[in-house]
Amino acid sequence: MAGPLEGVRVIDVSTILAGPLCCQILGDYGAEVIKIEHPVAGDAMRGHGRSKDGHPLWWKEISRNKRTVGLSLSDPAGAEAFLRLAATADVVVENFRPGTLERWGVGPEELRAVNPGLVLVRVTGFGQEGPYASRAGFGTLAEAMSGFAHLTGEADGPPTLPAFGLADSICGIAASSAVVMALYHRDARGGEGQVIDMNLLLPILTAVGPGPLEFDQLGIVGTRHGNRSTNNAPRNTYRTKDDRWVAVSTSAQQIAERVLRLVGHPEVITEPWFATGAQRVEHVEELDAYVGDWIAEHTRDEVMEAFAAAGAAVAPVYDARDIVEDEHVRATGMIRTVDDPDLGPMAMHDVLFRMSGTPGGIRFTGRGRGADTDTVLIDELGYDPDTVAALRDRRVVG
């Protein structure tokens, strides 16, 4: 369970979804994470996703390895407590609209005054500056503006958004990397703390690919192609005889040749146009028909066995049940069973990176609202119990 970030303290004052995921990753690898949430309403993340017996399931995962403190930053007494806590921290992650922390008196200047070595991560939709800085920022907007939606879906269908928090997740993973770089700069290079301006748009813009570069240099704007690729063929999802789906990729030339031999059309391999992925795309209808017709005559298990024997690339299209039951996922621990005090054993994603020396791990699941408020304020920050009780009566802490 030892993690490379043991000894690092992170204060998570972010919500849905990029900031909390960033802090989850840091906590998975040993950082001590303290989650700050509203003392009465709790964190909005508690209301996202499905619940069981009144316990929000997503919270159990996204807030794992985090202690919870109820604290109102908009109240001067809460802001003072936050500054005292930040003075003991290495990292603060927040995702309020630009100017909010400054309005509460806990902005970068105040934080730097109490802790010059602090790394402050500011997650917004569009960044701290620029024409869109004050806009509400959600992953859906970034997925639309990044080109993802424009390129996703059938050619004659509408732009398609993902069914999950794609932009937020990419941003959260990127933010965790940025934090580690900032800590390295501070601790290994003798630098100081700094502000990391993260926005939801740029990471997914990068992930979508070189569309802006191609437009700049060639004047080309990409279009939707369904599950097909503009770089190689055949590449698609295909329905099997038993009404399941598989995905086939032929990014490598040898794989493309193996697939066409397998489906009974070795003659096309010698065609001049078969020599490159770009040329195969020009014959995608023909190639898709060959592969699709063969797969339609076989069950999913038969397809998987035949492709494996041929050394060709194929994967089943999984739902959540398939993921949990897959033998490779189970054998490699991609999904871990963790004991939860409220719901007992529960399956959740394992830590993101496999590290041989400092593997990290899941120490505990997401905790109840304010479960650690007294411990942090009284035992660690030295607050008098009567003061904490009075703040609780005023709903400044919870």
Side-chain angles (χ1 to χ4, degrees):
M1 297 283 282
L5 297 179
E6 286 189 0
V8 171
R9 172 174 275 193
V10 177
I11 312 301
D12 179 4
V13 287
S14 63
T15 189
I16 311 168
L17 162 68
L21 179 59
C22 169
C23 295
Q24 177 204 312
I25 295 169
L26 299 176
D28 285 349
Y29 288 95
E32 176 204 0
V33 182
I34 299 176
K35 172 68 183 178
I36 305 295
E37 55 182 325
H38 192 276
V40 178
D43 190 274
M45 196 72 210
R46 292 184 183 272
H48 265 58
R50 296 182 173 89
S51 295
K52 180 181 179 182
D53 299 335
H55 300 285
L57 295 177
W58 200 354
W59 177 265
K60 294 291 187 181
E61 178 167 331
I62 198 70
S63 293
R64 69 195 191 192
N65 297 330
K66 301 178 186 180
R67 295 192 291 163
T68 58
V69 172
L71 189 64
S72 174
L73 273 62
S74 62
D75 185 284
E80 179 186 354
F82 175 68
L83 286 175
R84 287 176 63 172
L85 185 57
T88 71
D90 297 282
V91 181
V92 168
V93 179
E94 63 99 359
N95 72 331
F96 299 104
R97 288 201 192 188
T100 301
L101 289 188
E102 288 84 347
R103 188 171 70 250
W104 291 339
V106 292
E109 291 187 7
E110 291 84 358
L111 289 170
R112 182 176 177 81
V114 300
N115 187 350
L118 187 71
V119 174
L120 173 62
V121 184
R122 315 197 75 176
V123 181
T124 57
F126 302 101
Q128 296 293 315
E129 300 178 347
Y132 302 159
S134 62
R135 289 187 181 181
F138 297 97
T140 297
L141 311 186
E143 289 147 9
M145 294 178 64
S146 65
F148 175 88
H150 171 76
L151 294 173
T152 304
E154 297 298 326
D156 57 353
T160 302
L161 295 165
F164 54 92
L166 179 62
D168 277 274
S169 297
I170 295 173
C171 181
I173 296 169
S176 69
S177 177
V179 167
V180 174
M181 284 189 274
L183 292 176
Y184 178 82
H185 166 75
R186 187 194 70 179
D187 297 339
R189 298 292 181 86
E192 295 185 335
Q194 59 184 294
V195 177
I196 301 173
D197 184 358
M198 292 292 305
N199 67 77
L200 298 180
L201 181 56
L202 184 54
I204 189 173
L205 191 68
T206 302
V208 169
L213 174 62
E214 292 174 349
F215 173 74
D216 175 71
Q217 295 296 305
L218 303 173
I220 295 174
V221 174
T223 57
R224 290 184 289 285
H225 297 278
N227 290 318
R228 290 173 171 172
S229 169
T230 58
N231 299 315
N232 64 82
R235 188 264 197 180
N236 212 329
T237 57
Y238 305 91
R239 191 192 297 266
T240 64
K241 182 180 179 180
D242 53 346
D243 202 29
R244 308 297 293 272
W245 290 87
V246 297
V248 173
S249 174
T250 58
S251 297
Q253 181 66 23
Q254 287 185 338
I255 300 298
E257 295 175 5
R258 292 170 187 173
V259 169
L260 270 296
R261 289 194 187 96
L262 172 62
V263 301
H265 289 278
E267 73 280 0
V268 300
I269 296 173
T270 58
E271 294 286 349
W273 53 262
F274 197 85
T276 67
Q279 289 177 297
R280 293 199 303 273
V281 169
E282 298 175 2
H283 297 261
V284 64
E285 296 294 343
E286 176 184 354
L287 296 175
D288 253 356
Y290 290 155
V291 176
D293 290 348
W294 185 90
I295 288 177
E297 296 175 352
H298 298 79
T299 67
R300 188 178 75 173
D301 288 346
E302 291 170 345
V303 171
M304 297 300 297
E305 291 175 4
F307 268 70
V314 68
V317 176
Y318 275 174
D319 59 20
R321 180 193 299 273
D322 296 321
I323 295 169
V324 171
E325 295 179 349
D326 180 83
E327 62 178 352
H328 183 80
V329 170
R330 293 168 67 92
T332 58
M334 293 183 184
I335 302 295
R336 292 286 184 189
T337 298
V338 184
D339 286 328
D340 177 74
D342 299 312
L343 300 175
M346 58 188 344
M348 62 177 61
H349 300 103
D350 193 20
V351 298
L352 194 57
F353 317 115
R354 297 295 171 90
M355 302 178 67
S356 62
T358 51
I362 305 169
R363 301 183 295 280
F364 53 88
T365 57
R367 293 165 61 77
R369 178 168 56 86
D372 304 285
T373 298
D374 287 351
T375 299
V376 171
L377 294 185
I378 298 172
D379 297 345
E380 299 179 15
L381 296 185
Y383 271 79
D384 181 79
D386 291 338
T387 300
V388 173
L391 292 173
R392 183 170 282 113
D393 288 341
R394 290 175 45 205
R395 298 188 174 184
V396 177
V397 304

